[in-house]
């Protein structure tokens, strides 16, 4: 009788039976089979009306999923029953029952009862259900399961299956019913993006699946995909990854020195050390991530298709602006040619246009060396006419000049001399932001093409490089071989051949104490002798000055004697004599000039071939590059500052990810606007609220400390029980106690009145 009561009680309490089965499966096999048959009969009855709530069925499914690992043979068909139930009736099931079924499948997957290739496609279809909590559960499980499947090695079979399935979901959202498939497609795109950020699905197929989502008719899907391409790799939020959330051991050890030592803190420190040790052991080699835009299969087709979506104006302005930004990045990275895109930008280049700075950013990002200058010239003129004029504010003028500078830094050939010289005249403007923008434009063209600048704006180093021919202007369509950084390689070989001699380095290095008179160039002259040089911006004067000093240097090398430098009067005469150089040349002079130019080009070609031969026949070490830089600086000190600026600009450009342009580079430094009366009064009132009131603090309870009497009243009795006053108080007689009590009562009465 007792056994039957216990069996009946176990049948009613499934959690207790579950605990007993896990402890001893063989002893309770009969009870389990009874519950399993009960599940089958309940399931067959439920399938007649699947839209009803079935709490008993949910409890049975949870129970069997917990203990099915103990009876694998008896429960071989159990997972398939749940999968079939969800596939056929997922839309009409009760939310609680549907969640119980999904949790049971997740439990079976975690215990390797189910294969993820069959389970994950089902979960993607369940995204169609209108249940937010269920979608969050499915999303977290799918990401975690795929991450675990690719932890040790790439599971290409699973990855390809799921990526193909996601592509079909996106296609169904485009062609089928939008209401049913839009949510599933949106979650699929979110999963692809999350796995790409976690460096799990970082292949080209994932990127192209997300790229296909950019053309979805659902605005949320297309906006999510476009934002993915616009976010750079450095801006990823890695703090959500639990693997990277490592404790700070040094901080914990430092805190343990000054805090109380407890066993709990010691255990916490030891666990942190073990976690860090496990992380260092399991750390794999660093994976180098390329930008997602580099993995596009057809960048030209992608950009053209997205450009057509922008021109259709079906989306809101914010979405069109993001797509415009994405098209410009694709054009800049892959150096594409979409001439209609620049015509589209001109329409939005107005100071009153909303988010016009982002339009300028798109114009700058879409510029590169292969864009025809004729296509970018209308863009520059539109910016100059609309932004840089007397009718606009100072901030608008600075934004316009900065936008022109960013475009010209990528395609300098789009600028003509007339427009550039008009813009450089703003270097004397009254507003500082406009002056800084104009000066930055001058500095740019001093590096790339100083011939377009006025003579007074070219600067000393640019003028010297123009005279000696070291400044090379890259023309449209010209491709450099990347050998600019290897100039002087033949001198390095000669230097290494002489390294056996003891005085080789002494003869090569420049003595710090040597006078400027022994130098080859005129840049090393001390400041005391600066009066001998004319620092005017006249190009002819600089030419005469350079020729005279080169003659001095040649004389010093030839006979070892130093001649007197050219003074100001002689230099002025040379300038007047050189003023007639603009006269037309004769045929003999033109022929001679042409021969000199051809000889110079042949010599440069010969040097390039020699450098290329040396570069391909030896391996250069970092020490060799350091020697090359040092030799260049010692040979041509005049160009050192210009090279440093160029190197700094290249470093800044290398820091930029995917050739992007920061909006703050377009805005430039801005002066703080003057506040109005209401803003000033609000600031004054905010300062008064946190400040203490004036006046006496007498009678206030907010004191810095308390009296000794108050402190003694709050002390623990164990601290004062040995005091004489306390002992005498305990030994008082009855009359003394009555007397003190009467005095206390009278005192309280006086306080009331």
């Amino acid at each position: 009788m007792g056994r039957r009561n216990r069996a009946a009680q176990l049948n009613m309490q499934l959690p207790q039976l579950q605990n007993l089965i896990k402890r001893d499966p063989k002893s309770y096999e009969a009870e389990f089979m009874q519950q399993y048959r009960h599940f089958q009969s309940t399931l067959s009855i439920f399938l007649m009306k699947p839209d009803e709530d079935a709490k008993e069925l949910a409890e049975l499914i949870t129970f069997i999923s917990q203990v099915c690992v103990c009876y694998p043979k008896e429960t071989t068909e159990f997972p398939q029953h749940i999968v079939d139930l969800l596939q056929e009736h997922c839309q009409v099931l009760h939310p609680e029952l549907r969640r119980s079924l999904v949790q049971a499948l997740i439990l079976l997957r975690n215990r390797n009862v189910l294969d993820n290739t069959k389970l994950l496609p089902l979960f993607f279809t369940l995204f169609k259900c209108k249940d937010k909590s269920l979608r969050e559960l499915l999303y977290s499980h799918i990401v975690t399961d795929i991450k675990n499947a690719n932890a040790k090695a790439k599971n290409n079979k699973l990855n390809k299956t799921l990526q193909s399935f996601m592509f079909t979901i996106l296609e169904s959202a485009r062609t089928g019913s939008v209401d049913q498939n839009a949510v599933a497609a949106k979650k699929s795109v979110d999963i692809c993006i999350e796995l790409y950020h976690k460096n799990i699905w970082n292949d080209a197929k994932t990127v192209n699946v997300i790229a296909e989502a950019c053309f979805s008719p659902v605005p949320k899907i297309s906006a999510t995909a476009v934002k993915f391409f616009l976010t750079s790799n450095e801006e990823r939020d890695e703090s959500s990854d639990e693997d990277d959330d490592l404790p700070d051991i040094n901080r914990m050890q430092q805190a343990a020195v000054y805090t109380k030592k407890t066993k709990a803190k010691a255990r916490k420190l030891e666990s942190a050390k073990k976690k860090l040790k496990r992380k260092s052991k399991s750390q794999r080699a660093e994976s180098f991530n390329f930008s997602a835009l580099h993995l596009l299969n057809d960048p030209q087709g992608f950009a053209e298709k997205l450009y057509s979506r922008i021109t259709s104006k079906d989306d809101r302005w914010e979405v069109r602006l993001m797509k415009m930004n994405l098209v410009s990045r694709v054009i800049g990275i892959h150096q594409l040619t979409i001439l209609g895109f620049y015509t589209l930008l001109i329409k939005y280049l107005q100071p009153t246009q909303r988010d016009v700075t982002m339009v300028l950013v798109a114009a700058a990002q879409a510029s590169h060396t292969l864009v025809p200058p004729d296509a970018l010239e209308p863009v520059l003129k539109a910016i100059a006419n609309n932004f840089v004029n007397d009718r606009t504010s100072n901030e608008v003028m600075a934004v316009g000049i900065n936008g022109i500078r960013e475009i010209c830094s990528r395609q300098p050939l789009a600028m003509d001399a007339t427009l550039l010289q008009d813009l450089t005249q703003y270097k004397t403007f009254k507003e500082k932001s406009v002056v800084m923008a104009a000066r930055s434009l001058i500095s740019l063209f001093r590096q790339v093409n100083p011939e377009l600048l006025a003579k007074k704006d070219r600067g000393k180093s640019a003028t010297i490089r123009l005279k000696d021919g070291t400044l090379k202007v890259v023309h449209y369509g010209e491709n450099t071989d990347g050998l600019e950084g290897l100039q002087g390689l033949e001198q390095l070989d000669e230097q290494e051949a002489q390294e056996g001699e003891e005085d080789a380095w002494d003869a090569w290095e420049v003595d710090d104490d040597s006078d400027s008179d022994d130098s080859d160039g005129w840049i090393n002259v001390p400041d005391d002798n600066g009066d001998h040089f004319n620092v005017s911006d006249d190009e002819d004067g600089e030419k005469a000055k350079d020729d005279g000093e080169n003659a001095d240097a040649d004389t010093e090398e030839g006979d070892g004697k130093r001649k007197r430098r050219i003074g100001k009067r002689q230099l002025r005469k040379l300038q007047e004599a050189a003023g007639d150089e603009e006269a037309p040349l004769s045929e003999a002079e033109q022929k001679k000039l042409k021969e000199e130019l051809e000889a110079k080009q042949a010599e440069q070609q010969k040097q390039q071939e020699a450098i290329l031969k040396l570069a391909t026949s030896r391996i250069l070490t970092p020490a060799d590059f350091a020697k090359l830089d040092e030799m260049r600086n010692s040979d041509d000190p005049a160009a050192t500052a210009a090279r440093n600026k160029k190197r700094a600009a290249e470093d800044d450009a290398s820091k930029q990810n995917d050739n992007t342009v920061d909006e703050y580079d377009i805005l430039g430094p801005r002066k703080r606007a003057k506040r109005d009366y209401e803003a000033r009064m609000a600031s004054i009132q905010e300062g008064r609220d946190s400040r203490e009131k004036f006046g006496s603090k007498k009678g206030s309870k907010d004191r810095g400390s308390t009296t000794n009497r108050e402190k003694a009243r709050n002390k623990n009795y164990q601290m004062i029980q040995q005091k004489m006053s306390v002992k005498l108080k305990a030994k008082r007689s009855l009359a003394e106690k009555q007397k003190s009590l009467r005095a206390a009562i009278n005192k309280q009465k006086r306080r009331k009145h």
Side-chain angles (χ1 to χ4, degrees):
M1 184 70 180
R3 290 183 178 179
R4 275 184 285 177
N5 292 337
R6 190 187 69 173
Q9 188 177 5
L10 286 176
N11 294 335
M12 298 301 295
Q13 297 179 0
L14 292 178
Q16 186 177 358
L17 178 60
Q18 171 185 326
N19 186 21
L20 294 174
I21 290 175
K22 288 182 178 180
R23 292 183 179 181
D24 190 4
K26 293 183 179 180
S27 301
Y28 294 92
E29 184 177 359
E31 286 81 356
F32 171 76
M33 294 304 300
Q34 180 182 359
Q35 297 296 334
Y36 188 70
R37 288 190 295 269
H38 181 47
F39 157 73
Q40 292 176 341
S41 59
T42 307
L43 178 62
S44 60
I45 296 173
F46 173 77
L47 291 176
M48 298 178 181
K49 294 182 179 179
D51 55 345
E52 294 182 355
D53 186 14
K55 294 183 179 180
E56 184 180 1
L57 179 61
E59 292 176 357
L60 288 171
I61 291 173
T62 304
F63 164 72
I64 297 174
S65 63
Q66 289 285 345
V67 299
C68 67
V69 292
C70 300
Y71 309 102
K73 294 182 180 180
E74 290 80 359
T75 58
T76 52
E77 298 179 355
F78 174 71
Q80 190 62 35
H81 288 317
I82 303 178
V83 171
D84 295 340
L85 181 60
L86 286 173
Q87 285 179 345
E88 296 176 2
H89 308 287
C90 62
Q91 296 289 345
V92 298
L93 289 176
H94 192 271
E96 294 296 332
L97 178 60
R98 187 168 51 206
R99 185 178 181 85
S100 300
L101 295 175
V102 171
Q103 288 176 345
L105 290 177
I106 292 174
L107 181 61
L108 295 176
R109 169 64 195 129
N110 293 336
R111 295 182 177 180
N112 293 325
V113 178
L114 273 175
D115 189 12
N116 50 11
T117 56
K118 298 180 180 179
L119 183 62
L120 293 182
L122 171 64
F123 283 175
F124 277 106
T125 58
L126 291 179
F127 279 130
K128 301 178 182 179
C129 301
K130 296 181 179 181
D131 191 349
K132 187 175 181 180
S133 60
L134 179 65
R135 290 196 296 265
E136 292 177 355
L137 176 64
L138 294 172
Y139 178 84
S140 60
H141 171 71
I142 291 173
V143 172
T144 306
D145 195 14
I146 297 175
K147 178 182 175 182
N148 295 334
N150 293 272
K152 295 182 179 180
K154 292 288 184 181
N155 193 345
N156 293 324
K157 180 181 178 181
L158 174 65
N159 296 340
K160 291 181 179 180
T161 303
L162 294 180
Q163 288 167 357
S164 302
F165 189 78
M166 290 180 183
F167 187 78
T168 57
I169 292 178
L170 292 175
E171 289 293 330
S172 64
R174 181 185 303 179
T175 58
S177 178
V178 177
D179 297 335
Q180 294 181 358
N181 302 321
V183 179
K186 175 67 168 56
K187 284 295 181 179
S188 301
V189 173
D190 291 341
I191 289 172
C192 289
I193 294 173
E194 182 71 18
L195 293 174
Y196 183 88
H197 286 169
K198 289 182 178 293
N199 203 18
I200 299 171
W201 282 4
N202 53 359
D203 54 347
K205 190 170 184 179
T206 305
V207 173
N208 287 278
V209 169
I210 302 175
E212 193 66 26
C214 294
F215 312 114
S216 175
V218 183
K220 288 186 178 180
I221 299 176
S222 61
T224 303
V226 170
K227 285 180 181 178
F228 163 73
F229 287 106
L230 293 178
T231 55
S232 59
N233 294 334
E234 285 79 5
E235 296 174 353
R236 294 175 184 173
D237 187 9
E238 298 292 344
S239 60
S240 60
D241 196 352
E242 297 179 358
D243 296 339
D244 296 337
D245 190 10
L246 297 177
D248 191 354
I249 300 296
N250 296 330
R251 187 174 182 180
M252 295 176 67
Q253 290 176 346
Q254 186 71 14
V257 176
Y258 300 103
T259 57
K260 186 178 180 181
K261 280 73 176 174
T262 59
K263 293 183 179 180
K265 291 181 180 179
R267 288 194 300 268
K268 189 175 181 181
L269 182 60
E270 289 297 327
S271 63
K273 289 181 179 179
K274 291 180 181 178
K275 184 177 181 181
L276 189 63
K277 189 175 181 180
R278 289 195 303 268
K279 179 64 178 178
S280 61
K281 285 184 178 181
S282 61
Q283 191 171 12
R284 295 181 293 179
E286 183 181 0
S287 57
F288 298 94
N289 292 329
F290 294 98
S291 173
L293 294 176
H294 291 93
L295 301 176
L296 292 173
N297 290 338
D298 185 12
Q300 182 73 31
F302 175 79
E304 290 179 353
K305 195 173 182 180
L306 203 59
Y307 165 67
S308 63
R309 292 298 182 95
I310 298 173
T311 56
S312 62
K313 297 183 180 181
D314 294 334
D315 301 322
R316 295 181 295 113
W317 165 248
E318 292 82 0
V319 180
R320 279 191 290 144
L321 186 63
M322 288 193 300
K323 291 182 178 180
M324 199 181 300
N325 192 4
L326 178 57
V327 171
S328 65
R329 289 196 187 184
V330 176
I331 292 174
I333 290 174
H334 296 278
Q335 294 188 347
L336 308 177
T337 302
I338 302 178
L339 300 180
F341 182 70
Y342 306 102
T343 308
L344 175 68
L345 293 177
I346 294 175
K347 184 172 60 174
Y348 297 106
L349 290 175
Q350 299 290 338
T352 57
Q353 174 64 42
R354 180 183 173 188
D355 298 325
V356 70
T357 54
M358 292 304 300
V359 179
L360 289 170
V361 167
Q365 290 176 161
S367 305
H368 54 84
T369 55
L370 298 182
V371 178
D374 297 338
L376 284 176
E377 187 176 355
V379 178
L380 296 182
K381 289 184 178 180
I383 297 174
N385 295 333
N386 298 332
F387 289 81
V388 190
N389 54 55
D390 298 336
R391 299 183 302 275
T392 56
S393 61
N394 299 328
E395 292 80 3
V396 174
M397 295 171 65
V399 166
I401 298 176
N402 288 330
I404 292 174
R405 181 200 67 217
E406 292 294 333
I407 294 174
C408 293
S409 64
R410 290 158 174 80
Q411 178 54 290
L413 301 177
M415 176 66 71
D416 58 347
T418 304
L419 179 59
L420 179 60
Q421 293 176 11
D422 290 341
L423 294 175
T424 54
Q425 292 179 2
Y426 285 94
K427 65 181 181 180
T428 58
F429 198 72
K430 59 182 179 179
E431 182 66 24
K432 187 176 181 180
S433 60
V434 181
V435 172
M436 294 179 66
R439 288 180 179 177
S440 65
L441 187 62
I442 294 173
S443 300
L444 172 65
F445 276 91
R446 281 179 179 177
Q447 299 295 326
V448 296
N449 193 359
E451 293 180 351
L452 298 179
L453 292 170
K455 294 180 181 179
K456 61 180 179 179
D457 295 330
R458 292 177 183 176
K460 189 175 0 180
S461 61
T463 304
I464 295 172
R465 288 185 293 154
L466 281 174
K467 298 297 182 184
D468 57 15
T470 57
L471 180 64
K472 183 179 180 182
V473 179
V474 180
H475 300 284
Y476 177 69
E478 185 178 356
N479 186 18
T480 59
D481 296 331
L483 298 176
E484 291 81 359
L486 300 178
Q487 301 293 336
L489 190 59
E490 65 278 1
Q491 299 179 8
L492 180 63
D493 283 348
E494 296 175 1
Q495 182 69 29
E496 290 179 352
Q498 299 175 0
E499 283 183 354
E501 302 178 5
E502 294 180 358
D503 57 345
W505 288 98
D506 297 335
W508 175 67
E509 289 182 346
V510 179
D511 191 3
D512 294 337
D513 299 331
S514 62
D515 190 34
S516 61
D517 298 336
D518 299 330
S519 60
D520 294 336
W522 56 278
I523 296 300
N524 285 340
V525 176
D527 295 338
D528 297 336
N529 296 330
D531 297 333
H532 295 287
F533 295 94
N534 184 12
V535 293
S536 64
D537 296 321
D538 193 358
E539 183 180 4
D540 298 333
E542 290 182 1
K543 180 178 181 181
K545 173 181 60 177
D546 189 47
D547 294 339
E549 290 174 5
N550 290 335
D552 292 342
D554 295 337
T555 305
E556 292 170 10
E557 293 176 359
D559 53 7
K561 295 181 181 180
R562 177 177 177 271
K563 289 185 178 181
R564 184 176 62 85
R565 296 182 181 275
I566 299 176
K568 294 182 178 179
R569 294 182 180 178
Q570 289 84 350
L571 186 59
R572 192 178 297 111
K573 291 180 181 180
L574 289 173
Q575 292 175 0
E576 293 175 358
D580 300 333
E581 290 181 0
E582 298 179 358
L585 300 176
S586 61
E587 294 181 0
E589 292 176 347
Q590 291 179 0
K591 184 177 180 181
K592 185 178 180 180
L593 185 62
K594 184 177 181 181
E595 291 177 356
E596 292 178 356
L597 183 60
E598 290 177 355
K600 188 175 181 180
Q601 291 178 354
E603 184 181 357
Q604 291 179 355
Q605 183 68 22
K606 187 177 180 180
Q607 290 179 357
Q608 290 291 100
E609 292 177 357
I611 292 172
L612 181 61
K613 183 178 180 180
L614 288 173
T616 54
S617 60
R618 61 173 295 177
I619 298 175
L620 295 177
T621 62
D624 295 335
F625 284 107
K627 288 180 182 179
L628 284 174
D629 291 338
E630 192 172 357
M631 290 170 66
R632 290 194 205 101
N633 295 339
S634 61
D635 292 339
D636 188 11
T640 303
R643 262 197 307 270
N644 292 337
K645 289 182 180 179
K646 185 177 180 181
R647 189 178 295 112
E650 290 176 355
D651 294 340
D652 294 340
S654 63
K655 291 179 183 178
Q656 291 181 349
N657 186 27
D658 296 342
N659 196 25
T660 58
V661 179
D662 192 0
E663 186 180 2
Y664 293 100
D665 294 339
I666 301 291
L667 292 173
R670 305 181 67 183
K671 187 173 68 174
R672 185 177 179 181
K674 188 176 180 180
R675 295 182 299 178
D676 54 358
Y677 177 78
E678 288 78 8
R680 293 197 301 271
M681 293 304 297
S683 177
I684 292 171
Q685 189 64 32
E686 183 180 358
R688 287 179 179 177
D689 293 340
S690 59
R691 188 177 59 192
E692 296 181 358
K693 300 293 184 181
F694 293 106
S696 175
K697 295 183 179 180
K698 186 177 181 180
S700 176
K701 295 182 180 180
D702 299 333
R703 291 176 293 174
S705 180
T706 56
T707 61
N708 292 337
R709 201 172 206 178
E710 291 174 343
K711 291 176 182 177
R713 188 182 300 121
N714 295 327
K715 282 184 179 180
N716 191 2
Y717 179 73
Q718 300 295 331
M719 298 173 61
I720 61 175
Q721 64 178 352
Q722 299 299 330
K723 293 183 68 174
M724 187 58 66
S725 59
V726 177
K727 291 182 179 180
L728 292 176
K729 188 175 181 180
K731 295 180 180 180
R732 289 182 302 176
S733 62
L734 181 60
E736 292 175 346
K737 290 180 181 180
Q738 290 178 348
K739 186 177 180 180
S740 61
L741 181 60
R742 178 56 60 186
I745 293 172
N746 294 333
K747 187 176 181 180
Q748 291 292 334
K749 289 180 179 180
R750 287 195 300 270
R751 283 185 177 180
K752 290 182 180 180
H753 299 287

